């Protein structure tokens, strides 16, 4: 009897009524909130729109650090809807490439399995990811001018897809700033010129690190030459246009960036123009020089004009021998060209009103022979920051919104931490004051522990009782023999600005009117 009961129960359990009736779930959906997870290298791919296409100049240094210390803070990851692989969210493609190399060399599991923070793909995922990578690369090692230009052009394309219409350069500048990567409109114009006119002719020079000032001078040279060409080609039937002529003159110099000479480019361009137009070489050289001066006077701020003029070799090359056609570039004094190539690693940002006033005063002083006294009350502008600071307290109307304040706050926190090579301790979030701060590695010897602890106090609840830190030595400097490293002047300004923005953010969240400044 017992055996029959067991058999009956078994038959009921195996009946079709207990079979799965719904579709099987092949892949679990991604978390909808930030979630830590373990990811293997074979499931993680680099961000495919990363603007960096050249090797990070600190690649070997970063590789040795990861080899000996491991990955202190793995990059955050995300995943596009429907995509099987995870992607680096913002910054980290270099580290991912290094991990692949180290795994291939050592087969050490610590290079294969990564404890990452998964962040859901946002509604505006592509543009958020692209601007995030632009900002991260700017902070961690800089991008070449052409890499920035290509990244900004890709951002333009994404914005136009997002809004369904063509956008102007000023609108592009505004939207990039709102998404955390400020670029001045005039720089966007130069970037587009570089992509359209220079990249097809001198890709090796550009990817080798040709800086913004050299690109600007080439742009001025092209515009001035085009005006001279149009003036002298009226009524003439020529088999070449200026755009083709400029490209042909430029392509001859696509080699090593260090040997690139703007004077030789201009010499070749004017020589070819003289041949086609049948106009004296010196006449074209003088007209081009005058045109370039007018162009700089119209386009650039006084300080920018001074920079361009001071780095500029003489524009009027020697004339070819009388009666000889110009068939090759003239030789010029290479001693004056040794420093012509400049790699511009500074953030592309607008000059502040105070710096413009100072540059105008400097120009007046130069022309009158007066001595311009330094203003000791002027706030030193933070160098190398995505958001240069000319006024700690003032908050522009376009910045006065919680989401934009958080972008600036988290960026300043990351830049301060980066000064001690601990930018990975800062994680941007869409809540609180815009960032979270993890502990600095206990074995760090670069003064990171007190610096990171100071930032951590801003995001820590009082109930958590953060460890005490020596704020005085950190802000003012330790006595002789002290162990605490004083915060740099640039970081001090960023920290004060961060505090101001965080206070305003808290006021906005609590609908509290902003406090007045004591006079």
């Amino acid at each position: 009897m017992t055996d029959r009961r067991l058999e009956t129960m078994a038959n009921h359990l195996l009946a079709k009524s207990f079979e799965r009736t719904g579709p099987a779930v092949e892949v679990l959906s991604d978390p909808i909130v930030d979630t830590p997870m373990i990811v293997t290298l074979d499931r993680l791919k680099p961000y495919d729109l990363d603007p960096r296409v050249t090797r990070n100049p600190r690649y070997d240094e970063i590789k040795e650090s990861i080899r000996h210390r491991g990955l202190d803070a793995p990059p955050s990851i995300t995943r596009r809807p429907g995509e099987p692989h995870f992607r680096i969210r913002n910054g980290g493609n270099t580290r991912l490439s290094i991990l692949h190399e180290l795994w291939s060399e050592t087969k050490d599991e610590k290079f294969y399995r990564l404890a990452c923070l998964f962040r859901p793909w946002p509604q505006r995922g592509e543009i958020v990811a692209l601007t995030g990578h632009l900002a991260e690369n700017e902070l961690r090692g800089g991008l070449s001018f052409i890499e920035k230009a290509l990244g900004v052009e890709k951002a333009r394309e994404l914005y136009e897809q997002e809004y369904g219409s063509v956008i102007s350069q000023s609108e592009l500048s505004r939207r990039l700033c709102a998404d955390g990567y400020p670029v001045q409109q005039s720089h966007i114009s130069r970037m587009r010129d570089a992509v359209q006119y220079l990249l097809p002719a001198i890709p090796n020079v550009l990817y080798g690190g040709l800086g913004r000032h050299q690109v600007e001078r080439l742009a001025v040279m092209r515009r001035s030459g085009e005006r001279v060409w149009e003036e002298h080609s009226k009524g003439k039937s020529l088999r070449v246009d200026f755009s083709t002529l400029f490209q042909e003159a430029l392509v001859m110099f696509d080699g090593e960036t260090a040997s690139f000479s703007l004077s030789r480019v201009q010499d070749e361009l004017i020589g070819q123009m003289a041949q086609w137009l049948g106009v004296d070489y010196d006449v074209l050289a003088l007209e081009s020089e005058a045109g370039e001066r007018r162009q700089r006077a119209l386009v650039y701020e006084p300080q920018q004009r001074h920079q361009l003029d001071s780095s500029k070799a003489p524009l009027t090359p020697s004339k070819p021998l009388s009666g000889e056609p110009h068939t090759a570039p003239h030789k010029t004094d290479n001693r004056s060209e040794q420093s012509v190539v400049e790699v511009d690693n500074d953030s592309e940002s607008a000059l502040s009103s105070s710096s413009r006033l100072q540059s105008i005063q400097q120009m007046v002083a130069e022309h009158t022979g007066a001595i311009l006294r330094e203003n000791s009350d002027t706030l030193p502008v933070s160098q190398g920051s995505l958001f240069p600071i000319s006024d700690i307290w003032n908050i522009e109307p376009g910045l006065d919104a919680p989401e934009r304040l958080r972008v600036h706050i988290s960026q300043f926190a990351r830049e301060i931490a980066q000064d001690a090579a601990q930018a990975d301790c800062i994680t941007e979030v869409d809540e609180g004051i815009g960032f979270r701060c993890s502990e600095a590695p206990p074995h760090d010897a670069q003064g990171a522990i007190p610096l990171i602890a100071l930032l951590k106090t801003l995001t820590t609840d009082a109930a958590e009782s953060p460890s005490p830190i020596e704020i005085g030595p950190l802000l003012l400097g330790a006595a002789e023999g002290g162990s605490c490293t004083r915060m740099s002047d640039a970081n001090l300004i960023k920290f004060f600005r961060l505090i101001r923005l965080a206070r305003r953010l808290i006021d906005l969240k609590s609908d509290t009117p902003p406090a007045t400044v004591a006079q």
Side-chain angles (χ1 to χ4, degrees), residues 59 63-64 67 97-108 111:
Y59 191 96
K63 182 175 180 179
E64 289 308 306
R67 183 194 301 276
S97 174
I98 288 171
L99 287 170
H100 276 285
E101 286 187 10
L102 291 174
W103 164 245
S104 177
E105 294 170 7
T106 67
K107 298 302 179 184
D108 190 330
F111 302 129

Side-chain angles (χ1 to χ4, degrees), residues 43-53 75-80 83 85-97 100 121-122 124-137 150-151 154-155 158 161:
R43 300 186 63 200
L44 183 57
K45 287 189 175 183
Y47 179 59
D48 47 349
L49 299 183
D50 185 13
R52 184 189 292 281
V53 296
S76 58
I77 62 174
T78 189
R79 178 155 55 184
R80 292 188 181 99
E83 191 173 55
H85 292 86
F86 295 101
R87 297 274 182 183
I88 299 294
R89 186 177 185 272
N90 59 318
N93 281 0
T94 294
R95 283 172 285 171
L96 181 60
S97 174
H100 276 285
W121 184 258
R124 301 175 62 244
E126 291 296 353
I127 193 63
V128 169
L130 177 58
T131 53
H133 276 268
L134 280 165
E136 186 75 10
N137 278 309
L150 290 170
K154 184 61 180 179
L158 293 176
Q161 291 175 0

Side-chain angles (χ1 to χ4, degrees), residues 8-30:
T8 302
M9 290 176 63
N11 290 335
H12 281 297
L13 289 172
L14 296 174
K16 290 185 176 181
S17 58
F18 286 88
E19 291 181 352
R20 181 188 298 275
T21 57
V25 178
E26 295 181 0
V27 180
L28 294 176
S29 60
D30 289 333

Side-chain angles (χ1 to χ4, degrees), residues 51-354:
R52 184 189 292 281
V53 296
T54 56
R55 180 184 174 92
N56 189 317
R58 297 180 56 217
Y59 191 96
D60 293 334
E61 175 188 343
I62 297 171
K63 182 175 180 179
E64 289 308 306
S65 174
I66 295 176
R67 183 194 301 276
H68 293 102
R69 297 176 49 179
L71 204 59
D72 290 332
S76 58
I77 62 174
T78 189
R79 178 155 55 184
R80 292 188 181 99
E83 191 173 55
H85 292 86
F86 295 101
R87 297 274 182 183
I88 299 294
R89 186 177 185 272
N90 59 318
N93 281 0
T94 294
R95 283 172 285 171
L96 181 60
S97 174
I98 288 171
L99 287 170
H100 276 285
E101 286 187 10
L102 291 174
W103 164 245
S104 177
E105 294 170 7
T106 67
K107 298 302 179 184
D108 190 330
E109 284 288 317
K110 71 179 181 181
F111 302 129
Y112 183 70
R113 299 183 182 277
L114 312 178
C116 296
L117 177 66
F118 175 85
R119 305 193 69 183
W121 184 258
Q123 184 178 2
R124 301 175 62 244
E126 291 296 353
I127 193 63
V128 169
L130 177 58
T131 53
H133 276 268
L134 280 165
E136 186 75 10
N137 278 309
E138 185 82 21
L139 176 63
R140 287 186 174 276
L143 297 169
S144 66
F145 183 85
I146 192 60
E147 288 174 325
K148 295 177 189 177
L150 290 170
V152 168
E153 282 299 302
K154 184 61 180 179
R156 178 202 299 273
E157 178 185 326
L158 293 176
Y159 282 127
E160 291 179 349
Q161 291 175 0
E162 183 178 19
Y163 291 91
S165 61
V166 176
I167 63 175
S168 64
Q169 291 181 358
S170 59
E171 180 65 12
L172 175 59
S173 175
R174 187 188 69 79
R175 291 180 180 177
L176 284 169
C177 183
D179 283 324
Y181 187 68
V183 183
Q184 188 179 359
Q185 179 184 343
S186 62
H187 294 164
I188 291 177
S189 176
R190 294 293 169 260
M191 288 174 174
R192 195 158 204 185
D193 280 353
V195 172
Q196 183 176 355
Y197 299 110
L198 306 185
L199 186 58
I202 51 170
N204 292 321
V205 171
L206 287 170
Y207 283 120
L210 193 70
R212 172 170 60 87
H213 294 307
Q214 280 63 48
V215 171
E216 287 175 344
R217 285 187 55 194
L218 282 170
V220 170
M221 183 192 302
R222 184 186 63 80
R223 292 174 186 271
S224 174
E226 187 172 27
R227 288 190 178 92
V228 173
W229 176 269
E230 290 174 353
E231 181 66 26
H232 287 281
S233 64
K234 291 177 180 177
K236 297 180 180 179
S237 179
L238 302 175
R239 292 181 290 109
V240 65
D241 58 14
F242 180 80
S243 178
T244 302
L245 191 71
F246 181 76
Q247 293 275 322
E248 290 179 350
L250 197 57
V251 76
M252 298 174 60
F253 302 96
D254 186 33
E256 293 292 330
T257 304
S259 62
F260 184 75
S261 166
L262 289 166
S263 297
R264 293 179 62 198
V265 171
Q266 186 178 51
D267 187 37
E268 176 64 27
L269 177 63
I270 294 175
Q272 291 198 24
M273 289 170 62
Q275 272 191 300
W276 283 100
L277 296 171
V279 179
D280 184 77
Y281 179 95
D282 278 350
V283 170
L284 296 181
L286 290 171
E287 290 184 5
S288 296
E289 163 72 6
E292 290 192 24
R293 291 190 180 278
R294 285 196 300 271
Q295 183 74 14
R296 293 196 300 275
L298 291 172
V299 174
Y300 298 114
E301 302 281 356
Q303 183 175 351
Q304 291 174 301
R305 291 201 298 270
H306 178 72
Q307 290 172 342
L308 288 174
D309 289 336
S310 63
S311 65
K312 193 170 174 47
L315 281 181
T316 308
S318 58
K319 180 181 177 181
L321 294 176
S322 177
E324 290 185 7
H326 181 87
T327 57
H330 297 290
K331 293 182 179 180
T332 55
D333 185 358
N334 290 329
R335 290 173 297 176
S336 65
E337 298 170 3
Q338 291 175 353
S339 60
V340 75
V341 178
E342 173 185 335
V343 180
D344 184 7
N345 290 324
D346 293 342
S347 175
E348 306 291 345
S349 57
L351 289 173
S352 65
S353 58
S354 61

